[in-house]
Amino acid sequence: VVESFKESTNIFKEWRLVPVSIEKRMNHLEREGALATRLTGSGMGGCIVAFWPKETLPQAYENYVFLKI
């Protein structure tokens, strides 16, 4: 799943479907330890889905809804 997220995100970026402001947030999440991020939704926006290893989830994100793998 992580590799498919990375591949689809790269394609979305190549097609310029990811707004710069969202791309910055995705890059930030990956620097914080997310294994992969993906933009989901329609109309040049929506939600960012991020996969995190449970042991590296930053405390600042504990109140968000996450799929922990």
Side-chain angles (χ1 to χ4, degrees):
V1 173
V2 170
E3 290 304 316
S4 66
F5 264 48
K6 288 180 180 181
E7 185 175 333
S8 64
T9 295
N10 287 336
I11 291 169
F12 282 13
K13 288 177 181 178
E14 285 177 22
W15 292 346
R16 298 181 185 203
L17 297 174
V18 181
V20 173
S21 60
I22 299 294
E23 185 172 358
K24 287 180 181 179
R25 289 183 179 102
M26 293 168 74
N27 292 339
H28 173 76
L29 291 170
E30 290 175 3
R31 282 192 306 272
E32 289 289 315
L35 298 174
T37 58
R38 186 177 189 290
L39 181 61
T40 186
S42 62
M44 297 293 290
C47 298
I48 298 171
V49 178
F51 280 97
W52 296 80
K54 184 177 179 180
E55 63 276 359
T56 63
L57 182 64
Q59 189 174 11
Y61 300 117
E62 288 181 352
N63 294 324
Y64 291 83
V65 176
F66 290 99
L67 297 173
K68 297 180 181 178
I69 58 172

